[in-house]
mmCIF file of all heavy atoms in Angstrom:
data_model
loop_
_atom_site.group_PDB
_atom_site.id
_atom_site.type_symbol
_atom_site.label_atom_id
_atom_site.label_comp_id
_atom_site.label_asym_id
_atom_site.label_seq_id
_atom_site.Cartn_x
_atom_site.Cartn_y
_atom_site.Cartn_z
ATOM 1 N N LEU F 158 -1.309 4.971 -16.348
ATOM 2 C CA LEU F 158 -2.147 4.328 -15.334
ATOM 3 C C LEU F 158 -3.133 5.319 -14.737
ATOM 4 O O LEU F 158 -4.310 5.020 -14.539
ATOM 5 C CB LEU F 158 -1.266 3.750 -14.201
ATOM 6 C CG LEU F 158 -0.311 2.640 -14.596
ATOM 7 C CD1 LEU F 158 0.671 2.347 -13.469
ATOM 8 C CD2 LEU F 158 -1.083 1.384 -14.959
ATOM 9 N N LYS F 217 -1.879 8.272 -5.276
ATOM 10 C CA LYS F 217 -0.621 8.480 -5.983
ATOM 11 C C LYS F 217 -0.251 7.299 -6.867
ATOM 12 O O LYS F 217 -0.613 6.153 -6.578
ATOM 13 C CB LYS F 217 0.501 8.720 -4.983
ATOM 14 C CG LYS F 217 0.762 7.551 -4.045
ATOM 15 C CD LYS F 217 1.992 7.762 -3.176
ATOM 16 C CE LYS F 217 3.271 7.352 -3.829
ATOM 17 N NZ LYS F 217 3.493 5.922 -4.056
ATOM 18 N N GLY F 218 0.471 7.606 -7.930
ATOM 19 C CA GLY F 218 1.010 6.563 -8.785
ATOM 20 C C GLY F 218 2.374 6.104 -8.266
ATOM 21 O O GLY F 218 2.850 6.598 -7.250
ATOM 22 N N PRO F 219 3.006 5.176 -8.998
ATOM 23 C CA PRO F 219 4.305 4.649 -8.546
ATOM 24 C C PRO F 219 5.428 5.670 -8.719
ATOM 25 O O PRO F 219 5.344 6.528 -9.583
ATOM 26 C CB PRO F 219 4.536 3.448 -9.472
ATOM 27 C CG PRO F 219 3.756 3.780 -10.706
ATOM 28 C CD PRO F 219 2.550 4.565 -10.257
ATOM 29 N N LEU F 220 6.447 5.528 -7.898
ATOM 30 C CA LEU F 220 7.589 6.461 -7.964
ATOM 31 C C LEU F 220 8.894 5.694 -8.128
ATOM 32 O O LEU F 220 9.049 4.594 -7.589
ATOM 33 C CB LEU F 220 7.670 7.270 -6.678
ATOM 34 C CG LEU F 220 6.580 8.327 -6.471
ATOM 35 C CD1 LEU F 220 6.679 8.906 -5.075
ATOM 36 C CD2 LEU F 220 6.705 9.438 -7.511
ATOM 37 N N THR F 221 9.820 6.303 -8.839
ATOM 38 C CA THR F 221 11.151 5.709 -9.008
ATOM 39 C C THR F 221 11.925 5.714 -7.704
ATOM 40 O O THR F 221 12.005 6.737 -7.049
ATOM 41 C CB THR F 221 11.951 6.547 -10.018
ATOM 42 O OG1 THR F 221 11.249 6.531 -11.244
ATOM 43 C CG2 THR F 221 13.352 6.012 -10.220
ATOM 44 N N THR F 222 12.465 4.549 -7.354
ATOM 45 C CA THR F 222 13.454 4.504 -6.261
ATOM 46 C C THR F 222 14.657 3.786 -6.824
ATOM 47 O O THR F 222 14.662 2.555 -6.881
ATOM 48 C CB THR F 222 12.919 3.703 -5.043
ATOM 49 O OG1 THR F 222 11.675 4.265 -4.682
ATOM 50 C CG2 THR F 222 13.877 3.774 -3.889
ATOM 51 N N PRO F 223 15.644 4.515 -7.348
ATOM 52 C CA PRO F 223 16.764 3.835 -7.992
ATOM 53 C C PRO F 223 17.375 2.769 -7.084
ATOM 54 O O PRO F 223 17.612 3.019 -5.901
ATOM 55 C CB PRO F 223 17.748 4.974 -8.257
ATOM 56 C CG PRO F 223 16.908 6.195 -8.273
ATOM 57 C CD PRO F 223 15.812 5.953 -7.286
ATOM 58 N N VAL F 224 17.560 1.600 -7.649
ATOM 59 C CA VAL F 224 18.111 0.487 -6.890
ATOM 60 C C VAL F 224 19.609 0.751 -6.705
ATOM 61 O O VAL F 224 20.242 1.329 -7.596
ATOM 62 C CB VAL F 224 17.888 -0.828 -7.671
ATOM 63 C CG1 VAL F 224 18.380 -2.030 -6.878
ATOM 64 C CG2 VAL F 224 16.412 -0.987 -7.998
ATOM 65 N N GLU F 237 16.378 3.387 -15.528
ATOM 66 C CA GLU F 237 17.633 3.553 -14.773
ATOM 67 C C GLU F 237 18.803 2.963 -15.559
ATOM 68 O O GLU F 237 18.640 1.969 -16.257
ATOM 69 C CB GLU F 237 17.510 2.817 -13.432
ATOM 70 C CG GLU F 237 16.456 3.425 -12.526
ATOM 71 C CD GLU F 237 16.043 2.511 -11.389
ATOM 72 O OE1 GLU F 237 16.863 1.691 -10.966
ATOM 73 O OE2 GLU F 237 14.883 2.605 -10.967
ATOM 74 N N ASN F 265 8.650 7.193 -1.558
ATOM 75 C CA ASN F 265 7.478 6.517 -0.944
ATOM 76 C C ASN F 265 7.649 6.411 0.566
ATOM 77 O O ASN F 265 6.734 6.707 1.331
ATOM 78 C CB ASN F 265 7.324 5.098 -1.508
ATOM 79 C CG ASN F 265 6.888 5.136 -2.942
ATOM 80 O OD1 ASN F 265 5.992 5.879 -3.304
ATOM 81 N ND2 ASN F 265 7.540 4.339 -3.777
ATOM 82 N N ARG F 269 5.457 8.233 3.744
ATOM 83 C CA ARG F 269 4.882 7.482 4.875
ATOM 84 C C ARG F 269 5.416 8.000 6.202
ATOM 85 O O ARG F 269 4.677 8.192 7.158
ATOM 86 C CB ARG F 269 5.216 5.988 4.759
ATOM 87 C CG ARG F 269 4.511 5.334 3.610
ATOM 88 C CD ARG F 269 5.080 3.950 3.350
ATOM 89 N NE ARG F 269 4.807 3.590 1.961
ATOM 90 C CZ ARG F 269 5.434 2.624 1.311
ATOM 91 N NH1 ARG F 269 6.361 1.908 1.896
ATOM 92 N NH2 ARG F 269 5.145 2.363 0.054
ATOM 93 N N GLY F 469 -0.086 -8.001 -9.890
ATOM 94 C CA GLY F 469 -0.149 -6.821 -10.765
ATOM 95 C C GLY F 469 -1.383 -5.967 -10.536
ATOM 96 O O GLY F 469 -1.451 -4.832 -11.005
ATOM 97 N N GLU F 484 -2.403 3.969 -3.066
ATOM 98 C CA GLU F 484 -1.355 3.858 -4.096
ATOM 99 C C GLU F 484 -1.335 2.484 -4.756
ATOM 100 O O GLU F 484 -1.725 1.482 -4.163
ATOM 101 C CB GLU F 484 0.016 4.105 -3.470
ATOM 102 C CG GLU F 484 0.427 3.048 -2.467
ATOM 103 C CD GLU F 484 1.873 3.185 -2.027
ATOM 104 O OE1 GLU F 484 2.602 4.040 -2.544
ATOM 105 O OE2 GLU F 484 2.278 2.397 -1.168
ATOM 106 N N ALA F 485 -0.841 2.484 -5.999
ATOM 107 C CA ALA F 485 -0.574 1.226 -6.685
ATOM 108 C C ALA F 485 0.562 0.540 -5.929
ATOM 109 O O ALA F 485 1.445 1.220 -5.416
ATOM 110 C CB ALA F 485 -0.155 1.501 -8.113
ATOM 111 N N THR F 486 0.535 -0.794 -5.872
ATOM 112 C CA THR F 486 1.580 -1.457 -5.095
ATOM 113 C C THR F 486 2.787 -1.862 -5.952
ATOM 114 O O THR F 486 3.832 -2.168 -5.426
ATOM 115 C CB THR F 486 1.031 -2.716 -4.393
ATOM 116 O OG1 THR F 486 0.382 -3.511 -5.379
ATOM 117 C CG2 THR F 486 0.039 -2.350 -3.324
ATOM 118 N N HIS F 487 2.621 -1.855 -7.273
ATOM 119 C CA HIS F 487 3.770 -2.184 -8.140
ATOM 120 C C HIS F 487 4.598 -0.919 -8.387
ATOM 121 O O HIS F 487 4.242 0.168 -7.933
ATOM 122 C CB HIS F 487 3.285 -2.781 -9.466
ATOM 123 C CG HIS F 487 2.277 -1.904 -10.159
ATOM 124 N ND1 HIS F 487 2.610 -0.691 -10.705
ATOM 125 C CD2 HIS F 487 0.945 -2.047 -10.369
ATOM 126 C CE1 HIS F 487 1.554 -0.130 -11.220
ATOM 127 N NE2 HIS F 487 0.515 -0.922 -11.012
ATOM 128 N N GLY F 488 5.686 -1.074 -9.147
ATOM 129 C CA GLY F 488 6.564 0.053 -9.421
ATOM 130 C C GLY F 488 6.226 0.756 -10.722
ATOM 131 O O GLY F 488 5.105 0.643 -11.235
ATOM 132 N N THR F 489 7.223 1.450 -11.292
ATOM 133 C CA THR F 489 6.980 2.347 -12.425
ATOM 134 C C THR F 489 7.058 1.618 -13.783
ATOM 135 O O THR F 489 6.788 2.228 -14.806
ATOM 136 C CB THR F 489 8.045 3.457 -12.441
ATOM 137 O OG1 THR F 489 9.338 2.829 -12.520
ATOM 138 C CG2 THR F 489 7.978 4.300 -11.185
ATOM 139 N N ALA F 490 7.453 0.352 -13.778
ATOM 140 C CA ALA F 490 7.599 -0.459 -15.014
ATOM 141 C C ALA F 490 8.132 0.397 -16.164
ATOM 142 O O ALA F 490 7.483 0.546 -17.198
ATOM 143 C CB ALA F 490 6.281 -1.125 -15.367
ATOM 144 N N PRO F 491 9.335 0.992 -16.032
ATOM 145 C CA PRO F 491 9.786 2.035 -16.958
ATOM 146 C C PRO F 491 9.879 1.631 -18.421
ATOM 147 O O PRO F 491 9.705 2.457 -19.313
ATOM 148 C CB PRO F 491 11.172 2.420 -16.414
ATOM 149 C CG PRO F 491 11.564 1.357 -15.465
ATOM 150 C CD PRO F 491 10.312 0.735 -14.963
ATOM 151 N N LYS F 492 10.093 0.313 -18.681
ATOM 152 C CA LYS F 492 10.243 -0.065 -20.106
ATOM 153 C C LYS F 492 8.932 0.101 -20.890
ATOM 154 O O LYS F 492 8.946 0.084 -22.107
ATOM 155 C CB LYS F 492 10.804 -1.477 -20.242
ATOM 156 C CG LYS F 492 9.894 -2.577 -19.760
ATOM 157 C CD LYS F 492 10.575 -3.944 -19.865
ATOM 158 C CE LYS F 492 9.728 -5.013 -19.218
ATOM 159 N NZ LYS F 492 10.347 -6.291 -19.098
ATOM 160 N N TYR F 493 7.822 0.265 -20.189
ATOM 161 C CA TYR F 493 6.530 0.429 -20.866
ATOM 162 C C TYR F 493 6.021 1.866 -20.843
ATOM 163 O O TYR F 493 4.872 2.133 -21.206
ATOM 164 C CB TYR F 493 5.489 -0.480 -20.202
ATOM 165 C CG TYR F 493 5.805 -1.953 -20.251
ATOM 166 C CD1 TYR F 493 5.831 -2.727 -19.097
ATOM 167 C CD2 TYR F 493 6.066 -2.583 -21.461
ATOM 168 C CE1 TYR F 493 6.113 -4.088 -19.138
ATOM 169 C CE2 TYR F 493 6.353 -3.945 -21.515
ATOM 170 C CZ TYR F 493 6.373 -4.684 -20.353
ATOM 171 O OH TYR F 493 6.655 -6.029 -20.400
ATOM 172 N N VAL F 499 0.337 -1.001 -19.869
ATOM 173 C CA VAL F 499 0.298 -1.705 -18.575
ATOM 174 C C VAL F 499 -1.110 -1.759 -17.970
ATOM 175 O O VAL F 499 -2.013 -1.044 -18.391
ATOM 176 C CB VAL F 499 1.286 -1.069 -17.570
ATOM 177 C CG1 VAL F 499 2.696 -1.477 -17.877
ATOM 178 C CG2 VAL F 499 1.133 0.437 -17.533
ATOM 179 N N ASN F 500 -1.231 -2.599 -16.953
ATOM 180 C CA ASN F 500 -2.517 -2.863 -16.332
ATOM 181 C C ASN F 500 -2.825 -1.817 -15.247
ATOM 182 O O ASN F 500 -2.074 -1.705 -14.271
ATOM 183 C CB ASN F 500 -2.451 -4.261 -15.689
ATOM 184 C CG ASN F 500 -3.783 -4.727 -15.167
ATOM 185 O OD1 ASN F 500 -4.703 -3.934 -14.973
ATOM 186 N ND2 ASN F 500 -3.891 -6.020 -14.932
ATOM 187 N N PRO F 501 -3.922 -1.068 -15.402
ATOM 188 C CA PRO F 501 -4.223 -0.043 -14.383
ATOM 189 C C PRO F 501 -4.970 -0.606 -13.185
ATOM 190 O O PRO F 501 -5.384 0.143 -12.290
ATOM 191 C CB PRO F 501 -5.113 0.938 -15.158
ATOM 192 C CG PRO F 501 -5.828 0.060 -16.156
ATOM 193 C CD PRO F 501 -4.907 -1.067 -16.499
ATOM 194 N N TYR F 539 -1.938 -6.712 -21.517
ATOM 195 C CA TYR F 539 -1.028 -7.782 -21.955
ATOM 196 C C TYR F 539 -0.669 -8.788 -20.861
ATOM 197 O O TYR F 539 -0.530 -9.971 -21.115
ATOM 198 C CB TYR F 539 0.270 -7.161 -22.510
ATOM 199 C CG TYR F 539 1.236 -6.766 -21.400
ATOM 200 C CD1 TYR F 539 2.287 -7.626 -21.047
ATOM 201 C CD2 TYR F 539 1.061 -5.607 -20.676
ATOM 202 C CE1 TYR F 539 3.136 -7.304 -19.989
ATOM 203 C CE2 TYR F 539 1.917 -5.278 -19.625
ATOM 204 C CZ TYR F 539 2.937 -6.128 -19.288
ATOM 205 O OH TYR F 539 3.767 -5.826 -18.257
ATOM 206 N N ASP F 540 -0.527 -8.285 -19.618
ATOM 207 C CA ASP F 540 -0.067 -9.138 -18.532
ATOM 208 C C ASP F 540 -1.081 -10.232 -18.192
ATOM 209 O O ASP F 540 -0.698 -11.359 -17.853
ATOM 210 C CB ASP F 540 0.220 -8.292 -17.286
ATOM 211 C CG ASP F 540 -0.964 -7.433 -16.904
ATOM 212 O OD1 ASP F 540 -1.570 -6.801 -17.792
ATOM 213 O OD2 ASP F 540 -1.334 -7.425 -15.719
ATOM 214 N N ARG F 543 -1.591 -12.761 -21.476
ATOM 215 C CA ARG F 543 -0.621 -13.837 -21.739
ATOM 216 C C ARG F 543 -0.872 -15.062 -20.862
ATOM 217 O O ARG F 543 -0.310 -16.119 -21.104
ATOM 218 C CB ARG F 543 0.810 -13.323 -21.600
ATOM 219 C CG ARG F 543 1.222 -12.884 -20.219
ATOM 220 C CD ARG F 543 2.588 -12.218 -20.231
ATOM 221 N NE ARG F 543 2.887 -11.637 -18.936
ATOM 222 C CZ ARG F 543 3.906 -10.832 -18.664
ATOM 223 N NH1 ARG F 543 4.747 -10.502 -19.624
ATOM 224 N NH2 ARG F 543 4.088 -10.356 -17.468
HETATM 225 P P1 NAP Y 197 7.964 -2.810 -11.310
HETATM 226 O O1 NAP Y 197 7.981 -1.399 -11.797
HETATM 227 O O2 NAP Y 197 6.836 -3.187 -10.420
HETATM 228 O O3 NAP Y 197 7.977 -3.725 -12.602
HETATM 229 C C1 NAP Y 197 8.384 -5.082 -12.621
HETATM 230 C C2 NAP Y 197 7.580 -5.862 -13.643
HETATM 231 O O4 NAP Y 197 6.278 -6.071 -13.115
HETATM 232 C C3 NAP Y 197 7.335 -5.137 -14.973
HETATM 233 O O5 NAP Y 197 8.422 -5.236 -15.838
HETATM 234 C C4 NAP Y 197 6.099 -5.881 -15.436
HETATM 235 O O6 NAP Y 197 6.405 -7.240 -15.799
HETATM 236 C C5 NAP Y 197 5.320 -6.021 -14.142
HETATM 237 N N1 NAP Y 197 4.435 -4.865 -13.881
HETATM 238 C C6 NAP Y 197 4.587 -3.845 -13.007
HETATM 239 N N2 NAP Y 197 3.553 -3.016 -13.043
HETATM 240 C C7 NAP Y 197 2.700 -3.520 -13.952
HETATM 241 C C8 NAP Y 197 1.442 -3.118 -14.436
HETATM 242 N N3 NAP Y 197 0.806 -2.014 -13.994
HETATM 243 N N4 NAP Y 197 0.841 -3.854 -15.410
HETATM 244 C C9 NAP Y 197 1.433 -4.962 -15.867
HETATM 245 N N5 NAP Y 197 2.636 -5.412 -15.450
HETATM 246 C C10 NAP Y 197 3.256 -4.690 -14.499
HETATM 247 O O7 NAP Y 197 9.302 -3.168 -10.527
HETATM 248 P P2 NAP Y 197 10.806 -2.751 -10.812
HETATM 249 O O8 NAP Y 197 11.083 -2.811 -12.287
HETATM 250 O O9 NAP Y 197 11.592 -3.543 -9.880
HETATM 251 O O10 NAP Y 197 10.886 -1.234 -10.329
HETATM 252 C C11 NAP Y 197 10.882 -0.101 -11.213
HETATM 253 C C12 NAP Y 197 10.931 1.172 -10.347
HETATM 254 O O11 NAP Y 197 9.737 1.268 -9.555
HETATM 255 C C13 NAP Y 197 12.086 1.166 -9.344
HETATM 256 O O12 NAP Y 197 12.636 2.477 -9.289
HETATM 257 C C14 NAP Y 197 11.439 0.785 -8.034
HETATM 258 O O13 NAP Y 197 12.119 1.261 -6.914
HETATM 259 C C15 NAP Y 197 10.098 1.476 -8.175
HETATM 260 N N6 NAP Y 197 9.021 0.930 -7.307
HETATM 261 C C16 NAP Y 197 8.117 1.802 -6.831
HETATM 262 C C17 NAP Y 197 7.048 1.362 -6.042
HETATM 263 C C18 NAP Y 197 6.028 2.371 -5.566
HETATM 264 O O14 NAP Y 197 6.082 3.520 -5.987
HETATM 265 N N7 NAP Y 197 5.088 2.006 -4.706
HETATM 266 C C19 NAP Y 197 6.900 0.002 -5.748
HETATM 267 C C20 NAP Y 197 7.861 -0.913 -6.288
HETATM 268 C C21 NAP Y 197 8.917 -0.430 -7.069
HETATM 269 P P3 NAP Y 197 6.809 -7.775 -17.262
HETATM 270 O O15 NAP Y 197 8.163 -7.222 -17.534
HETATM 271 O O16 NAP Y 197 6.817 -9.260 -17.060
HETATM 272 O O17 NAP Y 197 5.796 -7.350 -18.245
#
Side-chain angles (χ1 to χ4, degrees):
L158 296 169
K217 62 173 275 291
L220 289 172
T221 299
T222 306
V224 183
E237 295 163 29
N265 290 314
R269 291 169 204 162
E484 66 171 355
T486 52
H487 54 68
T489 59
K492 66 183 173 188
Y493 299 126
V499 283
N500 187 343
Y539 81 97
D540 54 314
R543 66 188 172 190

